[in-house]
Amino acid sequence: MSQLLSTAVITATGLTCKAFLNSGLCSITISNLPVLLDALQDQSRRKGQGLITVSNHLSTLDDPVTWGVLPSRCYMNPRTIRWALGASDIMFTNPVFSAFFRNGQVIETFRGEGIFQPALDAAIDKLNQGHWVHLFGEGKVCQPPRYPQVNGVAHLQRFKWGVARIIIEANILPIIIPMWLTGFDKLMPEGRRFPFKFFPKLGVKLGVAFGDPIPPARILTLLDTLPNDEGRLARSSFSSSQGNEALHTHSITENPRGRHGATGEKFLVGRKAITQEMEIDYTRSEVTAIIQRAVENLGRKVSGNQLDRPLV
């Protein structure tokens, strides 16, 4: 019954978004959609390889309106529609909203609770089942006028490390496809007064571009720098509060004279754990940077160095 309800919610939402995009109330330009459709049909997904799409985040309507570009058949199958992370304080504020978004394949996520919260565990689990997970790397709506500038070139806000954690801890490295959205900031601009802020503007030109999948070798090279068994064990241990508590215990038992024995052994173990955690943090940072560069490079190709031009 729950699966039927979920399919009904996804189908109704998808068809509504498709109808809006085709209504003439706005226009939509789509680039490279076959890249995503081919990934959705990839046979490796049956063997547990997940799919991740990552994009910029321009408005509260990015999801689900973006997925109105998909063929209608995609809405009938939970494996051909995305799972997404949704903010608890926005999407799960009452029982009706909570039921709707959960059945719409949205995972409740708590802002400020870091990258080791259950929502990210759930996203990793979905990837391990071969599902599709969509991520907004910035973790919040960020519109072009607010993009940080470096030497006159716009950049997206720094992507969250949770992006890398989801990728790194999947059993099989997922297919990763960058995306770029344009015009959604005009469709639902930030800062409008009540009640207009709840309604999309009409006549807006929207764009959705898909980039080529990120070559897996770029990420696998980074993962190979971690200690084979110890690094992966560390990722698991540091994803729990017990791991962090153990690290704290080791760090405060440092023997300033370097004597061996019980205290000295704890110090050595603690230093090893700290070193491993630093290596893992470095890897998360670098993997996140690879994903952000891929999304930004697609954005520059589409929208120029200010990341503000529409897709044409």
Side-chain angles (χ1 to χ4, degrees):
M1 177 61 74
S2 62
Q3 185 57 64
L4 288 175
L5 181 58
S6 180
T7 300
V9 169
I10 291 168
T11 302
T13 303
L15 292 177
T16 298
C17 292
K18 181 175 285 294
F20 173 72
L21 294 178
N22 294 328
S23 66
L25 298 175
C26 65
S27 62
I28 181 78
T29 302
I30 308 166
S31 174
N32 231 11
L33 178 60
V35 169
L36 176 62
L37 299 181
D38 289 346
L40 290 174
Q41 300 303 320
D42 195 307
Q43 293 302 308
S44 61
R45 296 183 67 207
R46 298 180 181 274
K47 301 176 182 178
Q49 183 180 31
L51 166 65
I52 285 182
T53 50
V54 188
S55 75
N56 56 326
H57 197 5
L58 292 174
S59 84
T60 55
L61 289 183
D62 295 353
D63 189 308
V65 171
T66 296
W67 311 123
V69 306
L70 295 173
S72 299
R73 66 177 183 276
C74 290
Y75 310 135
M76 313 298 178
N77 185 343
R79 295 182 67 81
T80 53
I81 199 67
R82 93 292 172 264
W83 285 86
L85 304 182
S88 177
D89 59 335
I90 294 177
M91 298 183 177
F92 296 84
T93 54
N94 60 61
V96 174
F97 282 9
S98 296
F100 175 79
F101 287 113
R102 286 196 178 97
N103 283 295
Q105 297 191 172
V106 178
I107 302 169
E108 185 175 10
T109 309
F110 295 88
R111 290 177 174 175
E113 293 198 5
I115 68 172
F116 297 120
Q117 60 177 290
L120 275 73
D121 298 335
I124 294 167
D125 185 58
K126 294 302 178 185
L127 287 180
N128 290 339
Q129 298 173 40
H131 285 288
W132 165 22
V133 175
H134 179 73
L135 302 173
F136 292 111
E138 299 149 291
K140 60 182 178 180
V141 170
C142 296
Q143 298 186 340
R146 302 177 187 174
Y147 289 162
Q149 300 268 335
V150 178
N151 296 325
V153 177
H155 294 268
L156 297 178
Q157 297 280 349
R158 183 180 66 84
F159 278 19
K160 305 297 185 181
W161 279 13
V163 173
R165 189 202 160 201
I166 291 170
I167 292 168
I168 291 171
E169 295 192 19
N171 291 339
I172 302 173
L173 187 68
I175 301 167
I176 307 169
I177 296 177
M179 292 175 53
W180 189 256
L181 309 180
T182 66
F184 286 83
D185 53 315
K186 306 293 192 302
L187 183 67
M188 204 73 167
E190 294 280 287
R192 287 192 298 166
R193 295 180 180 179
F194 178 88
F196 304 105
K197 65 179 182 179
F198 295 111
F199 298 96
K201 298 180 75 172
L202 304 182
V204 174
K205 296 180 179 180
L206 304 177
V208 180
F210 298 89
D212 294 329
I214 295 174
R218 296 174 62 186
I219 294 175
L220 290 173
T221 299
L222 285 169
L223 299 186
D224 287 343
T225 64
L226 291 172
N228 290 335
D229 295 326
E230 293 175 354
R232 297 185 185 278
L233 179 60
R235 279 202 299 275
S236 176
S237 66
F238 282 106
S239 67
S240 67
S241 59
Q242 292 178 344
N244 290 329
E245 182 180 352
L247 175 60
H248 178 69
T249 300
H250 292 318
S251 64
I252 65 175
T253 56
E254 178 178 345
N255 183 344
R257 298 183 181 179
R259 291 195 302 267
H260 293 291
T263 303
E265 288 173 1
K266 285 185 178 181
F267 172 57
L268 291 174
V269 171
R271 289 194 62 180
K272 185 176 183 180
I274 292 171
T275 300
Q276 289 178 345
E277 176 66 353
M278 290 175 65
E279 291 173 347
I280 295 163
D281 281 348
Y282 172 79
T283 301
R284 289 195 193 106
S285 175
E286 289 299 300
V287 169
T288 302
I290 287 173
I291 306 304
Q292 179 162 351
R293 281 195 296 270
V295 175
E296 282 192 2
N297 288 341
L298 178 60
R300 297 194 198 294
K301 181 178 178 181
V302 169
S303 298
N305 281 338
Q306 297 305 307
L307 302 177
D308 61 353
R309 292 206 307 258
L311 174 64
V312 293

